[in-house]
Amino acid sequence: MNERFERLLARAEALIDRIEAILPQPLCAPDWSASVAFRYRKRGAHGVLEPVRHVAAIRLDDLQAIDDQKAKVQRNLERFVRGVPANNVLLTGARGTGKSSLIKACLNAYAGEGLRLIEVDKADLTDLPDIVEVVAPRPERFLVFCDDLSFEEGEPGYKALKSILDGSVAAASPNVLICATSNRRHLLPEKMRDNLAATYGDDGELHPGEAVEEKVSLSERFGLWVSFYPFSQDEYLAVVRQWLAAYGVPEAQWDEARRAALVWALERGARSGRVAYQFARDWAGRTPTEGA
């Protein structure tokens, strides 16, 4: 009888262990001294804040042709790290123009003043309240960063982000700022049929339909909007020269590289900081026998 009871007990304990393994667990704080940047990752049902071992070393001076955008974001972050009111940030616009690079550069610039970054994927935005709860008691200032953010209708992270930005009964933690980048200004797909529900007042005033109001409401909860635009040819070439210099390419090659950089951009159908960076890497890595 005792042996049978012990076998049943062992099976019960094994079953409990298996159930506990798949049940959601409270988010545990990481070693905050391990890095200045962290990624939130899901491991089954459990969320984990993982330190980023190799943070991108980009500097604010490395970013060219976006001086106005840099100034706006810097002013806001300087207020944030000083502990005075600052706005959540939405960076929108043309691809490859430096939106996410600007956030990385700001982290490096202000990490010494206590700024930390937590990168969260769109699929994990429903866990934002748990992340905020873990970091709220900390003395550091946390930038919760979601890159390339956009939603399709019905995705759960949309409501979670709206709530944490401005809508929950709980006040946002003063040491947390939300920052997102997106190619969409309003983060949701906009369709022609949304305009069919628009109405007109007696004085001709246009009143958007509920679908349009809903799509605009999320982006409006970001207090600071910063727009990025496609580069002109001169801006693109200035960024190319900056990256060529960073890779140690001699000035004697710049005229030849200029022509090749224009062809490179034409082949990719875009002039942007990303295209300029990719060209400079390619050019700096060429051997003399490869030529242009």
Side-chain angles (χ1 to χ4, degrees):
M1 178 65 74
N2 288 339
E3 291 182 3
R4 183 181 179 186
F5 176 77
E6 289 177 358
R7 287 198 300 269
L8 290 173
L9 181 60
R11 290 178 182 177
E13 290 175 344
L15 179 60
I16 291 171
D17 290 340
R18 292 175 63 183
I19 293 174
E20 287 180 344
I22 62 175
L23 288 175
Q25 301 291 326
L27 180 62
C28 295
D31 177 6
W32 295 113
S33 64
S35 180
V36 297
F38 300 82
R39 291 191 186 96
Y40 180 75
R41 292 288 183 264
K42 277 299 197 55
R43 297 289 181 262
H46 309 318
V48 179
L49 285 169
E50 299 176 343
V52 176
R53 301 298 180 184
H54 303 286
V55 179
I58 192 166
R59 302 170 303 162
L60 287 167
D61 290 343
D62 293 332
L63 303 177
Q64 305 292 318
I66 56 168
D67 290 342
D68 290 343
Q69 293 88 339
K70 280 198 290 186
K72 291 177 182 178
V73 174
Q74 280 187 264
R75 279 197 301 270
N76 194 61
L77 283 181
E78 284 171 358
R79 295 168 186 163
F80 179 55
V81 297
R82 292 202 314 267
V84 300
N87 278 310
N88 298 305
V89 185
L90 177 61
L91 310 179
T92 66
R95 66 187 187 275
T97 47
K99 298 185 293 294
S100 58
S101 294
L102 177 53
I103 299 305
K104 298 170 190 173
C106 284
L107 171 65
N108 291 324
Y110 298 106
E113 300 178 43
L115 185 65
R116 300 292 181 266
L117 183 141
I118 298 176
E119 185 175 9
V120 182
D121 290 336
K122 177 182 70 171
D124 298 326
L125 287 174
T126 52
D127 295 339
L128 268 178
D130 296 331
I131 298 172
V132 172
E133 185 176 347
V134 168
V135 304
R138 298 290 305 175
E140 300 90 350
R141 318 296 289 180
F142 290 90
L143 193 62
V144 176
F145 177 51
C146 191
D147 193 25
D148 198 18
L149 180 64
S150 64
F151 295 100
E152 298 303 323
E153 294 179 9
E155 288 192 88
Y158 173 78
K159 297 293 186 183
L161 183 57
K162 277 185 68 174
S163 178
I164 205 72
L165 284 169
D166 183 18
S168 171
V169 68
S173 176
N175 70 333
V176 175
L177 204 69
I178 307 295
C179 180
T181 70
S182 180
N183 296 328
R184 289 176 178 169
R185 181 64 177 268
H186 291 143
L187 303 178
L188 280 167
E190 299 177 67
K191 302 176 182 177
M192 285 293 296
R193 68 170 181 264
D194 295 337
N195 296 317
L196 299 179
T199 59
Y200 299 88
D202 294 337
D203 58 355
E205 183 179 3
L206 177 65
H207 300 281
E210 290 183 0
V212 175
E213 291 282 8
E214 174 69 10
K215 292 180 178 182
V216 172
S217 66
L218 177 58
S219 57
E220 281 190 340
R221 297 186 184 211
F222 289 90
L224 178 61
W225 289 4
V226 183
S227 299
F228 290 70
Y229 306 98
F231 286 3
S232 67
Q233 179 170 298
D234 288 343
E235 290 171 334
Y236 167 69
L237 290 174
V239 178
V240 167
R241 292 187 62 169
Q242 182 262 328
W243 281 117
L244 289 175
Y247 281 114
V249 175
E251 283 191 49
Q253 295 186 20
W254 285 4
D255 285 341
E256 184 183 3
R258 178 184 184 277
R259 294 188 295 271
L262 293 175
V263 174
W264 183 278
L266 184 63
E267 291 174 343
R268 281 151 184 79
R271 291 191 297 257
S272 69
R274 179 180 297 139
V275 172
Y277 171 72
Q278 292 168 345
F279 167 77
R281 285 177 61 88
D282 180 79
W283 185 271
R286 292 179 185 181
T287 64
T289 58
E290 288 182 294

